[in-house]
Amino acid sequence: MRKIYFLGFFIICGILASCSKGGSQGELVGAFNKKFKNKTIPFGMVFIPQGRTLIGMTDEDISFYHGNPSRMTSFTAFYMDQTEITNAEYRQFVNWVRDSIAVTSMGQAGAPGLYKPVATTGGAPAMGPQNIDWRKVGDNGVNIWGRNSQYKAKLQNMYYAGKDALPGKNQIDVRRLRYAYSYESYDLAAAGRNDPNKSRQDFIETYTDNPTPGKANEHPSVSVYPDTMVWKIDYSYSQNDPMVKTYFNHPSYDKYPVVGVTWEQANAFCNWRSMIYQNVAAARKIPVNSRSDYRLPTDQEFEYAARGGKTQTKYPWGGPYIMNVKGCLQANFKVGRGNYSDDGGMYTVDAKSYMPNDYGLYCMAGNVAEWTSTAYNKSATALLLDFNPNYTNTAKGAKVVRGDSWKDIGFFLQNSVATYEYQDKPRSYIGFRCVSDFAGSTLN
């Protein structure tokens, strides 16, 4: 009996195995993707759950301000950076661009050991940042730019020269630090999907060192170094020279929000951040769709996140007042008639200053205003849907900025208040943070 029992058991297992391996047996069983855990929150981000809230003005307005009317709006889940992107975080991007340009300019013959083994095409080695052995480059390029580096003498083309060089200083020419990339534009694809004269190449937005003249979807590569002169240009009659010299590079400001970046630079950063993660994921054999790309938040996503899961709240911290019960100010802004220091900072402050909102997000009001992906159009509200609304425009122009800054009065700290700036204008009071779309409804 025992032998018969075991024989029957193995026969049943064999039948089940054949059903699973041998196809659908004529039934609809589906073709499933490889499963992976979907509950790891990206480093430095928080999970914003799906939900709905009233978007728009609450109970305060000022003359001639055209705020959006209140409207119930729903949003899918996404991840969002806890803080504005800091100087240290953005400097990692700048250093990566600097190092990739330096290594590729030397070539494999001039930079032995800094390249991975690469496949060749027609006898010529493939070149580019994807072939660089970043472990040998070292953190922040220490093995290239260090005092004892064997490569420094080969990189004189990376420094200011001639009339651009200052006496007694050997400084890297930041004009050389440009980031080239491309991506598929769904806006272009949607607009041209029925045009028989269009190919998929026409839907690729490309930022290149050598754009084709007259080609609408090719643009110059993006200069990545922040414009530190914004501290001087934005305020012609103010002694801000120390901020020009130190704000981006001094260790004291490492955890302060980066400023002086345009909308284009913020998008380039998002692309680079996505690429860095995808490269590591591929090397570790993590599914490529385990995480969406990074991007800028939409205008109304920002407001939804700022409200922290609450409805009709005036400020990100939830209360109707700018001070808490202890009389402490809850954001970095222009207090009263110009008491900039009363909130703890004359200009910007550490990106984790003050208490976070109920989602764990810091400085969703004050400190620096933040770029969004939304094109500015004061008449666009009527066009928007009541779920995941966003207004885009492929033409260059003004973009919505949210949260407002250390230089703004208290009115602009409200969740519902937005302003705008032209996408190619860097400012000393505008930074950004990233979001990443969440695939699904809830963490599981």
Side-chain angles (χ1 to χ4, degrees), residues 304-309 316-318 355-364:
Y304 172 65
R307 292 184 180 276
W317 45 89
M355 292 294 292
N357 74 355
D358 285 358
Y359 282 150
L361 300 168
Y362 290 85
C363 292
M364 292 296 283

Side-chain angles (χ1 to χ4, degrees), residues 5 17 37 80 121 168-169 197 247 255 351 391 412 421 440:
Y5 170 79
K37 292 183 179 180
M80 191 174 207
T121 303
K169 293 187 177 181
N197 297 317
Y247 185 75
K255 295 182 179 181
Y391 177 76
F412 292 100
E421 184 53 88

Side-chain angles (χ1 to χ4, degrees), residues 21 23-24 55 128 130 134 150 215 241 265 273 312 327 372 386 408:
K21 293 180 180 179
S24 62
I55 297 292
Q130 71 274 12
W134 289 100
Q150 60 179 307
K215 196 167 184 179
D241 292 19
Q265 289 173 310
R273 187 176 179 183
Q312 289 186 301
T372 73
D386 58 358
D408 295 305

Side-chain angles (χ1 to χ4, degrees), residues 126-344:
M127 300 286 287
Q130 71 274 12
N131 306 124
I132 297 172
D133 190 336
W134 289 100
R135 292 176 299 177
K136 293 182 179 178
V137 170
D139 291 339
N140 297 316
V142 64
N143 296 331
I144 298 176
W145 310 100
R147 180 176 299 178
N148 299 320
S149 171
Q150 60 179 307
Y151 305 109
K152 288 189 71 174
K154 303 174 183 179
L155 293 172
Q156 289 308 303
N157 63 327
M158 295 291 292
Y159 294 85
Y160 286 111
K163 294 182 179 180
D164 289 322
L166 298 179
K169 293 187 177 181
N170 198 26
Q171 298 172 313
I172 290 177
D173 187 349
V174 298
R175 297 170 300 184
R176 293 208 59 190
L177 309 185
R178 303 189 68 88
Y179 182 68
Y181 71 104
S182 61
Y183 68 95
E184 184 179 3
S185 170
Y186 297 136
D187 289 326
L188 293 178
R193 67 190 185 282
N194 296 322
D195 189 339
N197 297 317
K198 296 282 188 181
S199 67
R200 293 189 69 182
Q201 289 295 321
D202 295 312
F203 308 144
I204 303 296
E205 289 277 12
T206 301
Y207 292 81
T208 174
D209 293 331
N210 299 295
T212 304
K215 196 167 184 179
N217 59 335
E218 284 195 10
H219 319 279
S221 55
V222 180
S223 176
V224 301
Y225 200 83
D227 186 353
T228 58
M229 287 299 293
V230 291
W231 294 102
K232 195 75 174 175
I233 297 170
D234 288 346
Y235 315 100
S236 299
Y237 301 103
S238 181
Q239 170 53 20
N240 290 326
D241 292 19
M243 300 297 282
V244 174
K245 293 180 64 176
T246 63
Y247 185 75
F248 182 60
N249 284 305
H250 197 282
S252 295
Y253 296 115
D254 276 353
K255 295 182 179 181
Y256 284 48
V258 66
V259 297
V261 292
T262 64
W263 184 83
E264 287 99 338
Q265 289 173 310
N267 276 284
F269 177 92
C270 292
N271 177 272
W272 166 81
R273 187 176 179 183
S274 302
M275 179 268 297
I276 289 294
Y277 175 77
Q278 289 165 0
N279 288 346
V280 172
R284 296 179 179 177
K285 297 182 179 181
I286 300 172
V288 294
N289 59 345
S290 63
R291 184 184 302 175
S292 295
D293 289 342
Y294 295 97
R295 59 175 176 82
L296 294 178
T298 68
D299 168 26
Q300 299 197 26
E301 273 178 341
F302 190 97
E303 182 174 337
Y304 172 65
R307 292 184 180 276
K310 298 179 180 178
T311 301
Q312 289 186 301
T313 51
K314 190 172 182 180
Y315 300 110
W317 45 89
Y321 305 112
I322 292 177
M323 288 185 177
N324 61 20
V325 294
K326 296 182 178 180
C328 299
L329 292 164
Q330 302 191 80
N332 179 21
F333 67 107
K334 181 180 177 179
V335 183
R337 297 186 178 182
N339 188 348
Y340 290 93
S341 63
D342 210 30
D343 52 35

